[in-house]
Amino acid sequence: MFHRLSYEHQLEIAEKFLSREIEFLTARGHKLELDKAVLPFLVRKGFHPKLGARPMRDAVEKLVGDAVADSLLNSRDACGSLAVDEGHDCLVVR
């Protein structure tokens, strides 16, 4: 039986996955800066009460990848600030 992860540990895990994803995208020419609300948003989306942080990697890859893909599909450069769009409950590149 495992103890529930503290919020600080959840933030650390999300930060590690996010930094890997940002490095991956930077190597492909997409330079992103992070808004301060991104990490708490990813923790909220990627943490499961019973599974812990196991779904975090998938959540980070999907949410960040969707933001970059949406930016590219709308004929915009996928470089800029990665921020939270609370109205649509997703990440966006601004």
Side-chain angles (χ1 to χ4, degrees):
M1 180 172 205
F2 296 99
H3 296 287
R4 185 180 178 123
L5 291 171
S6 69
Y7 185 70
E8 289 77 24
H9 285 114
Q10 294 173 36
L11 283 173
E12 286 179 37
I13 293 167
E15 186 176 21
K16 288 181 191 240
F17 285 128
L18 182 59
S19 67
R20 266 193 223 158
E21 189 67 17
I22 296 297
E23 285 176 21
F24 174 80
L25 292 168
T26 300
R28 281 145 185 85
H30 308 293
K31 293 180 178 38
L32 297 171
E33 296 177 12
L34 300 177
D35 185 64
K36 63 180 180 175
V38 171
L39 272 177
F41 177 79
L42 290 172
V43 168
R44 193 170 71 238
K45 291 295 190 177
F47 185 80
H48 188 276
K50 292 186 179 180
L51 298 175
R54 288 175 186 87
M56 185 74 68
R57 181 178 50 121
D58 293 336
V60 169
E61 289 176 1
K62 180 180 180 352
L63 292 166
V64 175
D66 286 353
V68 170
D70 186 52
S71 182
L72 291 171
L73 289 172
N74 288 319
S75 300
R76 291 178 286 157
D77 190 15
C79 296
S81 178
L82 186 64
V84 178
D85 181 352
E86 293 292 342
H88 292 104
D89 198 34
C90 64
L91 294 177
V92 293
V93 178
R94 293 186 179 146

